[in-house]
Amino acid sequence: MSIQAAALRDALLTLNRIRALQLLQAATATMAPLKVVEDLVRPALEQVGDLWDRGGCALSQVYMSGRICEELLDQLLGDPTRPSSSDLTPAADSPRLAIVVLEDYHLLGKQIVRTVMRSSGHSVRDYGRQTVDDLVEKVCFDEIDILLVSTLMLPAALRVEALMRRLGDEAPSTRVVVGGAPYRFDDRLWREVGAHAVGLNAGEVVGLVEQLQRGAR
Amino acid sequence: MSQTRPAMTSMQRVLTAVGHQEPDRVPLLLLPTLHGARELGVPIDTYFSDPALVAQGQLRMRQRYRHDCLYTFYYASIETEAWGGESIFRDDGPPNAGAPLISDLEAIQRLSPPRIEDAPGLRRVLETTRLLAAETGGEVPIIGVAIAPFSLPVMQLGFEAYLDLMHDRRDLFDRLMRLNEAFCVAWANAQVAAGAHAICYFDPLSSSSMVPPELFLETGHPIAQRVIQQIKAPVALHLASGEGLPIIDHLASTGAALLGVSCHEDLGQLKQASRGRIALFGHLNGIEMRHWSAEQAEQQVKAALAAAAPGGGFALADNHGEIPWQVPEEVLLAIAEANERWGRYPLDWCDEAARAEALRAGVPESDTAAETASAADTAGAADTDAAADTAGAANTDGDAGPLAVSAARSAARTDVP
């Protein structure tokens, strides 16, 4: 990790928005937007997520770090996933990504991952909260390559099994990454429900998505 | 080998353990809620619609599993129902809190706490408490539940909006906390008046998994201190699987008598850090429990007892405060049987296990007491936490560690090459 990325990580963990802004301003003065995201924002957010995974920081810091990055990137570069921000527009061969909360009504996990993905330059369709039937319909219609599924409660995590069965029939090429509290308490659960991968923190999901993308090629 | 102690009632057993003494055996604070519906053969929503059914379910479960408490917790969102929120029932788990009841933060200015007597759900809980108190005559602790003022807004506002409020609008945050504190104290004391002997104060937001220690000291900690001192019964502070070791000194100073701890933390370390100040309960993993065999249940129980039970100050429980619907009855029975078998004081087998471990490791015998917990805990956790433990060890290599660990973990978390 570069000194600048480590400094950004530290600014984010202490919610020091001014310092984070200074670091990003300095970077954007000398680097292309995509390079700023790749070299600073993404490693900083990945480390924050990993720190949380290991008990080194709190979920509120993960959430606020993502929020600050997203706001500052919007301020400095424009919305990184909007077409006007051409330097950061995903390439034509980028996977079609979607994120969803399955059945539960509380959306924090999804919001955190969505924010980190956007701040890392990925365009993600946000499906909000869905049931299995509605979700399969959307995935098929949008021809989603990689679906990120967030769950809060164990019954919803177990419903992924039904989702995987349906997707196996109707969208067999779609890869599914699951995440959320139940998977943090049972290492075997993601395989039990038939998911392709599990992301136990937001920072990890970016790498997993790219790994799945490579595997699909 | 020392002699076993005279048999105690559940109340005596729990009080002795909470007083940091060794009772006749380790108290089992199994906290099944939904299983009562299965016990009575009724759907979950029907079960929680009738206070007599819940009382009957609790009594039947205690008869079956021989645990040391009755638990009047219905489900978390019953409290937000009182504020105008909705609970959405399902047939395979606890009801979910519906959409947040406060969508406009400015509405907090006009909010006032509901009266307990006006809330049908809370009245049902109080009726269950009265029925259980009449039935058991003080021999079994009846544990009620109150969601902490600091944690209730996750359901009142939604998690994201609550974190925004906490960080951006401290004026409204402070007002909401005052309202929630008044409600929490009234609700807890209504349960005490109905016959509850203790209140489980659920405060997952205060855990260091959720907010950093410095923010906890500004917020969740003073709130807990103010509320707990007004509750007219002993309080068990429960972090609902959240981690608490980094703030254990502050948790011990809230006034709570017991602390519910996470399976993600080292129980031996928690015990050493809290000894004599706050008793612990936990820390069995309810999610993994779904597929435990009887032998695995016994191993997990033994590991927990060895880590935290010597000297008292410990009760065996799950780590979340609610046993998932998917956990088979056979597993709960295996846990109860293992606690019955291995939880009888004095726990001589813990000393023997520590000595054997020390001999293997070449540690002088005088050092073995402190080693007991971690050795047993490691043994119990080894099969599930191996990947994480490996990752933790790798982190000692310096700044490159976390990314290397992340990469290693990612490899273990996808089936795609």
Side-chain angles (χ1 to χ4, degrees):
Chain A
M1 172 176 251
S2 69
I3 292 170
Q4 289 90 342
L8 179 61
R9 173 202 62 198
D10 294 344
L12 295 172
L13 286 172
T14 53
L15 311 186
N16 189 338
R17 194 185 302 260
I18 294 169
R19 175 74 179 134
L21 177 62
Q22 287 168 344
L23 289 162
L24 288 176
Q25 276 173 330
T28 50
T30 58
M31 294 159 70
L34 190 60
K35 190 87 173 142
V36 174
V37 168
E38 283 291 323
D39 290 1
L40 253 74
V41 177
R42 180 177 156 176
L45 288 175
E46 281 182 344
Q47 274 232 340
V48 171
D50 189 67
L51 264 178
W52 181 67
D53 206 11
R54 293 181 293 112
C57 73
L59 189 64
S60 67
Q61 290 166 295
V62 181
Y63 168 72
M64 291 302 291
S65 296
R67 205 188 87 176
I68 291 170
C69 279
E70 193 171 34
E71 288 168 3
L72 294 181
L73 286 175
D74 279 357
Q75 182 182 329
L76 291 172
L77 308 174
D79 180 343
T81 58
R82 272 207 305 261
S84 60
S85 172
S86 57
D87 285 346
L88 280 178
T89 302
D93 65 343
S94 292
R96 285 180 293 274
L97 301 174
I99 189 164
V100 68
V101 172
L102 191 64
E103 296 191 345
D104 290 319
Y105 287 81
H106 292 273
L107 311 179
L108 183 72
K110 173 186 73 72
Q111 294 300 90
I112 291 175
V113 173
R114 189 188 65 92
T115 299
V116 171
M117 292 297 293
R118 286 188 73 236
S119 299
S120 299
H122 290 276
S123 175
V124 184
R125 290 170 203 235
D126 189 342
Y127 285 165
R129 176 197 178 270
Q130 297 289 332
T131 60
V132 169
D133 288 345
D134 293 342
L135 178 57
V136 170
E137 196 174 313
K138 279 181 172 296
V139 168
C140 292
F141 183 81
D142 291 337
E143 298 180 335
I144 294 301
D145 296 307
I146 298 175
L147 177 67
L148 310 175
V149 180
S150 171
T151 60
L152 177 66
M153 311 276 277
L154 177 61
L158 292 169
R159 286 286 287 162
V160 172
E161 191 169 4
L163 172 69
M164 296 306 297
R165 272 200 306 272
R166 290 282 308 278
L167 289 177
D169 291 338
E170 298 173 44
S173 63
T174 303
R175 306 287 96 182
V176 175
V177 181
V178 292
Y183 299 101
R184 297 182 62 80
F185 284 87
D186 185 346
D187 290 346
R188 291 183 286 173
L189 183 54
W190 67 279
R191 281 202 169 95
E192 180 185 332
V193 299
H196 299 108
V198 62
L200 297 187
N201 68 70
E204 186 179 74
V205 174
V206 180
L208 279 171
V209 162
E210 290 168 3
Q211 202 175 338
L212 287 169
Q213 189 182 2
R214 285 195 300 274
R217 279 177 184 156
Chain B
M1 179 77 72
S2 313
Q3 286 192 325
T4 54
R5 320 267 163 94
M8 293 177 164
T9 65
S10 287
M11 182 66 85
Q12 291 168 330
R13 185 172 296 131
V14 171
L15 287 175
T16 304
V18 173
H20 304 277
Q21 301 292 317
E22 293 187 349
D24 58 340
R25 71 158 165 76
V26 176
L28 177 61
L29 298 185
L30 205 57
L31 301 174
T33 56
L34 305 161
H35 287 69
R38 193 178 290 161
E39 194 78 37
L40 300 178
V42 296
I44 289 170
D45 55 350
T46 305
Y47 180 68
F48 287 124
S49 70
D50 184 344
L53 285 180
V54 178
Q56 198 183 346
Q58 282 292 319
L59 290 168
R60 280 211 201 170
M61 288 190 289
R62 181 164 183 273
Q63 194 170 20
R64 185 195 277 250
Y65 305 121
R66 293 164 290 158
H67 52 284
D68 290 301
C69 67
L70 294 160
Y71 190 44
T72 58
F73 181 57
Y74 276 42
Y75 48 88
S77 58
I78 204 163
E79 291 196 20
T80 43
E81 284 176 23
W83 292 78
E86 185 190 12
S87 295
I88 297 161
F89 280 86
R90 54 188 306 148
D91 58 10
D92 59 355
N96 237 326
L101 58 105
I102 302 170
S103 52
D104 171 16
L105 293 184
E106 296 303 328
I108 293 169
Q109 301 279 18
R110 303 183 295 278
L111 201 62
S112 59
R115 297 191 323 155
I116 307 303
E117 54 271 35
D118 293 340
L122 303 186
R123 288 207 309 267
R124 289 198 300 276
V125 176
L126 293 177
E127 180 59 17
T128 296
T129 310
R130 283 189 281 269
L131 289 169
L132 290 173
E135 188 70 31
T136 54
E139 288 202 347
V140 186
I142 298 171
I143 302 178
V145 162
I147 310 290
F150 187 53
S151 291
L152 192 64
V154 173
M155 291 186 288
Q156 291 174 307
L157 279 76
F159 212 148
E160 189 184 0
Y162 181 40
L163 289 177
D164 290 340
L165 178 84
M166 198 187 295
H167 289 94
D168 300 339
R169 290 298 305 270
R170 208 41 94 79
D171 56 331
L172 292 177
F173 169 83
D174 289 340
R175 172 165 169 75
L176 185 60
M177 291 304 109
R178 284 197 299 277
L179 300 174
N180 285 356
E181 283 180 42
F183 172 74
C184 184
V185 170
W187 171 225
N189 283 336
Q191 293 177 78
V192 175
H197 300 103
I199 296 296
C200 190
Y201 177 89
F202 271 104
D203 197 7
L205 256 287
S206 280
S207 108
S208 41
S209 313
M210 293 293 149
V211 298
E214 54 275 19
L215 184 55
F216 164 65
L217 284 175
E218 283 175 27
T219 53
H221 184 257
I223 292 165
Q225 283 185 317
R226 284 196 298 270
V227 169
I228 288 170
Q229 74 174 3
Q230 295 177 73
I231 295 177
K232 296 170 182 168
V235 167
L237 196 166
H238 207 310
L239 299 176
S241 328
E243 299 183 17
L245 190 55
I247 52 171
I248 190 84
D249 291 341
H250 304 300
L251 294 171
S253 70
T254 56
L258 272 157
L259 175 65
V261 292
S262 172
C263 63
H264 282 160
E265 291 188 301
D266 185 312
L267 190 53
Q269 279 185 25
L270 282 162
K271 180 61 185 273
Q272 283 183 24
S274 63
R275 191 185 301 276
R277 296 189 295 160
I278 189 167
L280 304 179
F281 67 118
H283 78 337
L284 303 176
N285 183 337
I287 303 287
E288 277 192 355
M289 212 181 266
R290 289 178 306 123
H291 39 65
W292 282 355
S293 64
E295 291 73 26
Q296 285 172 311
E298 184 177 28
Q299 278 176 7
Q300 295 287 338
V301 168
K302 282 185 74 177
L305 298 184
F314 179 71
L316 187 68
D318 87 300
N319 89 139
H320 194 73
E322 183 178 60
I323 306 280
W325 171 256
Q326 289 76 11
V327 174
E329 281 79 354
E330 293 74 25
V331 173
L332 300 181
L333 281 168
I335 290 169
E337 281 165 18
N339 188 58
E340 187 68 36
R341 179 175 179 195
W342 297 102
R344 292 266 158 206
Y345 285 103
L347 302 179
D348 292 334
W349 64 269
C350 290
D351 297 336
E352 289 157 15
R355 275 194 291 275
E357 178 67 25
L359 280 174
R360 276 198 299 275
V363 177
E365 197 161 309
S366 57
D367 292 344
T368 56
E371 299 293 331
T372 307
S374 57
D377 207 34
T378 304
D383 56 344
T384 55
D385 285 347
D389 289 348
T390 307
N395 287 341
T396 56
D397 292 343
D399 197 41
L403 287 180
V405 169
S406 188
R409 286 183 161 188
S410 295
R413 290 171 184 172
T414 172
D415 281 340
V416 176

